Amino acid sequence: MAPTPDDRPIGYWIKAADRALDAAITSLHTGAGVDRRGWQVLNQTSISGGQIARVNMHNWFHPMMSTLEVDRQLEALEAAGLLRRVGEDVVLTASGVATHAGLAADQEAFRDLLMRNIGRDDYLAAVRVLQAITANLSVG
């Protein structure tokens, strides 16, 4: 008898959810030339008041993105004119502020779809479980 989806381990669902988020967010922002990781970097810069130290950006995204991936995203966003580097800081440009505002509205609608039929308590429980798994497997 073939296994049912409920028989799959949590690792399967973590990977499946991450891949689904990558595909959906990249598709959502493709018109702006921003993929999921680019959106995350752009959004974190905006949340930080439009300016953030590059080292803080690296620390914020570790281990979700490697330092090389963060730098690759920063270079792509800079080439697109959405941010610029000022010394060791990353600063949103006027175009970056406007692009972020448009993408943020799309993200809000996306989050509504993403969280459909998922209550806040269930979401928080899932986050706590994933935090505990990560802590249990962390060394040092």
Side-chain angles (χ1 to χ4, degrees):
M1 182 158 103
T4 67
D6 290 339
D7 294 332
R8 292 182 177 143
I10 193 168
Y12 170 87
W13 293 111
I14 291 168
K15 291 271 190 193
D18 187 56
R19 287 183 182 128
L21 283 167
D22 270 345
I25 293 171
T26 297
S27 176
L28 182 67
H29 298 320
T30 195
V34 177
D35 64 8
R36 179 184 179 195
R37 304 288 186 250
W39 160 252
Q40 290 167 330
V41 169
L42 187 68
N43 190 50
Q44 187 57 40
T45 306
S46 178
I47 290 170
S48 300
Q51 180 171 341
I52 185 170
R54 199 168 131 241
V55 68
N56 290 344
M57 184 74 75
H58 290 151
N59 292 337
W60 174 261
F61 286 111
H62 178 77
M64 190 169 53
M65 275 189 258
S66 69
T67 297
L68 284 169
E69 177 62 15
V70 171
D71 285 340
R72 189 181 77 70
Q73 292 297 335
L74 291 171
E75 288 169 12
L77 292 168
E78 186 172 28
L82 301 178
L83 59 80
R84 61 186 165 79
R85 295 183 210 198
V86 178
E88 288 300 310
D89 290 346
V90 176
V91 180
L92 285 178
T93 63
S95 179
V97 170
T99 298
H100 178 268
L103 297 180
D106 292 342
Q107 277 290 136
E108 189 64 34
F110 175 73
R111 282 188 199 105
D112 289 345
L113 170 66
L114 179 70
M115 297 305 295
R116 187 176 55 208
N117 302 319
I118 301 171
R120 180 149 174 81
D121 290 343
D122 288 339
Y123 172 80
L124 293 174
V127 169
R128 282 192 301 273
V129 166
L130 294 172
Q131 287 172 332
I133 288 171
T134 302
N136 292 343
L137 298 177
S138 293
V139 178

